[in-house]
């Protein structure tokens, strides 16, 4: 029988899914081409101009309308 081995990843969970800050500087809203605001708490990129929040999953921003949620009034006040 083969022994099962696990890959050891010493990277903290937060860092493993973190978005590269340089990437954040380059990304713009795919609909309005305006800048995005990174919300680390909710792991989303917020577009005030489009009124959308794009989720970040496993360190990858999902920049499609189907994945986005509409910004709430509370979200807009924070921007």
């Amino acid at each position: 029988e083969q022994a099962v081995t696990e890959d050891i990843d010493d990277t903290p969970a937060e860092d493993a899914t973190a978005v590269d800050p340089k990437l954040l500087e380059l990304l713009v809203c795919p609909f309005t081409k305006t800048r995005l605001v990174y919300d680390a708490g909710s792991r989303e990129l917020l577009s005030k101009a489009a009124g959308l929040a794009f989720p970040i999953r496993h360190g990858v921003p999902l920049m499609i309308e189907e994945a986005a949620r509409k910004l709430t009034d509370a979200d807009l006040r924070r921007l």
Side-chain angles (χ1 to χ4, degrees):
E1 287 184 35
Q2 280 186 316
V4 176
T5 59
E6 294 183 29
D7 291 331
I8 298 174
D9 183 1
D10 293 329
T11 307
E14 297 164 9
D15 293 342
T17 59
V19 178
D20 183 340
K22 290 181 184 178
L23 176 64
L24 292 176
E25 290 176 18
L26 298 173
L27 289 176
V28 294
C29 174
F31 303 105
T32 64
K33 308 299 185 229
T34 56
R35 84 178 178 90
L36 297 166
V37 176
Y38 176 51
D39 182 343
S42 64
R43 293 189 180 188
E44 294 177 315
L45 292 172
L46 310 177
S47 172
K48 183 175 183 178
L52 296 172
F54 300 96
I56 299 171
R57 303 274 161 70
H58 305 290
V60 178
L62 301 179
M63 307 291 288
I64 56 173
E65 190 172 9
E66 293 82 11
R69 69 171 178 85
K70 294 203 182 279
L71 293 177
T72 64
D73 288 339
D75 293 326
L76 291 170
R77 282 192 295 273
R78 286 191 336 228
L79 294 178

